[in-house]
Amino acid sequence: MKKKKLLIFTTIMTTLSLLIAGCSSSTTSSSEKEEDKKVTLKLASYFADTSPIYTAVTKPWMERVTELTEGKVEFQYFPSEQLGKAQDLLKLTKDGVADISIYPANYFPDNMPYSHMIAGLPNLSETSNQGTLAYRDLLQESSTLLEKDYLNNGVRPVLTHVSPPNEIWTTGEEIRVPEDLKGLKVKTAGGITSEMYKFMGAVPVTISHGETYEALDKGVIQAANYYSMAVKSSGAEEILNYGVFPHVGSVIHGLVVNEKIWQGLSEDTQKAMIQAGEEIMESAGEIYKEETNKFNEEFVKNGGTIAELTKKEQEEWTKVTEEFNQSWLDKNKSGGHSYEEVLNLYKEKLEKYK
């Protein structure tokens, strides 16, 4: 009788062991399959696919991620606000309408206060390469910036980019000093940039990138706050006649991924996205420099004028922009944000890449 009971017990334990082993094997197999599973991610942009932000940043990033993951990650690309307007892309990515998007920090003063400040204040970065590498380092070092401008919005940055400095482009009047701006209607992205133009006596008009050409053509605005390559992507170079380069802010944009999507990606895929982003950030600045110089030369060749400022004229721009920066910081000291701390850290990074 005892032998019979022992035999039954042994049989039960053996069966359980086989079941457990089978479950373990099934789990491992499922995990392996998950690693090998192909992923297609929706990427939304507010730029056309002929834009430099596509050709120099977004396209090579997507291609590099696909290459690094050996084809396991592919992208479905939606240019020209097909999935939503530029000012909605941050929310659309958080809500999962897009998995990844190109965000313009200049459009989000409340959601991205620190990036908005860095982009909006004039006379900070002198080139795209300098600004991009400095902002990259700042983001890696400042948990305040990462948490407030990105993670709190349900997104994570995988690539960031600072444009060349914005300049002033006009249709009918040449601008040489801040006084010339008085009463002029200027396209801006809003926020700090609009405040700056008001400070200089201009009338800021907040319109989207896609609306700029028509607004200039119909005389709704007489000027645009743009860097050279953005002028080109808007198509407005054919109706603009003058440019002046006092470095009045920049644009911070890049690629953000929905945080839930990010957490669901394999570690290898995450590493591939970060590696691709690092590579693009190192190379894009030089591409922007070459393309900016090329555009400016063609603009002049085609009859446009880019002002060559005298030392005195340049000093007038420096004076008014420094006054504005200080007044803005003073006005926003009590807002609960560490603006001055983040700005000073960014300036340190800028010096490193000057």
Side-chain angles (χ1 to χ4, degrees):
M1 186 69 178
K2 287 183 179 179
K3 287 183 179 180
K4 187 176 181 181
K5 286 182 178 180
L6 180 61
L7 179 61
I8 293 170
F9 176 76
T10 303
T11 303
I12 291 171
M13 292 304 295
T14 302
T15 303
L16 283 173
S17 296
L18 288 170
L19 284 171
I20 291 169
C23 289
S24 175
S25 174
S26 174
T27 302
T28 303
S29 175
S30 173
S31 176
E32 287 171 356
K33 286 179 182 178
E34 193 64 32
E35 289 291 318
D36 293 335
K37 186 179 176 183
K38 275 197 171 185
V39 177
T40 300
L41 300 172
K42 292 181 292 184
L43 196 157
S45 171
Y46 61 105
F47 287 107
D49 57 11
T50 55
S51 152
I53 193 66
Y54 176 71
T55 57
V57 178
T58 315
K59 183 182 179 182
W61 181 82
M62 289 190 292
E63 290 175 345
R64 185 63 173 138
V65 171
T66 299
E67 180 186 5
L68 288 169
T69 59
E70 299 180 342
K72 293 174 189 173
V73 178
E74 296 179 344
F75 298 92
Q76 191 176 4
Y77 181 62
F78 296 88
S80 305
E81 299 186 329
Q82 289 179 11
L83 283 187
K85 296 290 186 182
Q87 58 267 31
D88 298 325
L89 285 179
L90 195 63
K91 185 176 187 304
L92 291 173
T93 308
K94 177 183 179 180
D95 293 345
V97 176
D99 300 316
I100 303 173
S101 71
I102 298 175
Y103 69 93
N106 304 57
Y107 287 13
F108 304 114
D110 297 325
N111 298 87
M112 308 183 84
Y114 296 111
S115 299
H116 179 78
M117 170 194 65
I118 290 169
L121 293 180
N123 273 340
L124 293 178
S125 57
E126 296 177 2
T127 66
S128 176
N129 190 59
Q130 180 197 25
T132 296
L133 298 181
Y135 184 80
R136 176 200 65 184
D137 290 1
L138 177 68
L139 189 53
Q140 290 173 352
E141 189 171 325
S142 174
S143 58
T144 301
L145 174 61
L146 177 63
E147 289 287 339
K148 184 64 181 177
D149 285 17
Y150 295 94
L151 300 185
N152 281 2
N153 291 302
V155 298
R156 181 175 294 269
V158 290
L159 183 159
T160 54
H161 181 262
V162 179
S163 76
N166 280 328
E167 316 297 3
I168 304 169
W169 303 84
T170 57
T171 52
E173 294 183 39
E174 182 178 18
I175 306 298
R176 296 193 67 90
V177 293
E179 180 74 18
D180 295 336
L181 284 170
K182 288 198 173 175
L184 208 67
K185 292 180 181 177
V186 184
K187 174 260 189 293
T188 79
I192 294 175
T193 307
S194 290
E195 292 180 48
M196 178 186 62
Y197 276 103
K198 281 183 183 177
F199 188 84
M200 294 191 289
V203 180
V205 180
T206 304
I207 57 175
S208 73
H209 180 71
E211 299 168 323
T212 303
Y213 182 99
E214 186 178 2
L216 285 165
D217 192 41
K218 292 184 175 180
V220 176
I221 56 174
Q222 293 85 45
N225 180 73
Y226 265 151
Y227 58 95
S228 300
M229 293 167 73
V231 172
K232 182 177 181 178
S233 69
S234 73
E237 73 268 26
E238 64 185 51
I239 53 176
L240 290 166
N241 296 308
Y242 301 99
V244 61
F245 292 1
H247 295 355
V248 281
S250 61
V251 179
I252 293 180
H253 42 218
L255 295 170
V256 289
V257 58
N258 174 288
E259 179 65 8
K260 290 179 182 177
I261 293 292
W262 174 260
Q263 295 301 335
L265 296 173
S266 70
E267 186 178 343
D268 286 345
T269 297
Q270 291 177 348
K271 286 180 179 177
M273 288 184 171
I274 296 298
Q275 180 181 333
E278 286 288 332
E279 291 174 3
I280 300 304
M281 284 187 277
E282 292 284 349
S283 64
E286 287 303 314
I287 294 173
Y288 266 66
K289 180 180 177 181
E290 292 172 10
E291 291 297 319
T292 295
N293 291 338
K294 181 180 176 182
F295 174 84
N296 293 345
E297 289 171 6
E298 288 178 354
F299 183 78
V300 173
K301 184 179 178 180
N302 292 330
T305 299
I306 294 176
E308 294 184 13
L309 300 179
T310 65
K311 184 179 178 181
K312 184 179 178 182
E313 287 171 334
Q314 186 60 60
E315 285 172 352
E316 288 189 46
W317 288 106
T318 301
K319 181 176 182 292
V320 73
T321 52
E322 286 180 351
E323 286 175 355
F324 170 76
N325 285 357
Q326 191 56 55
S327 70
W328 189 90
L329 288 170
D330 291 342
K331 186 171 70 173
N332 289 277
K333 273 183 179 177
S334 58
H337 296 306
S338 308
Y339 284 123
E340 201 151 2
E341 177 187 329
V342 173
L343 180 60
N344 288 336
L345 188 56
Y346 181 59
K347 286 179 178 179
E348 286 181 21
K349 307 303 179 188
L350 288 172
E351 283 298 315
K352 177 181 175 182
Y353 295 106
K354 197 167 185 178

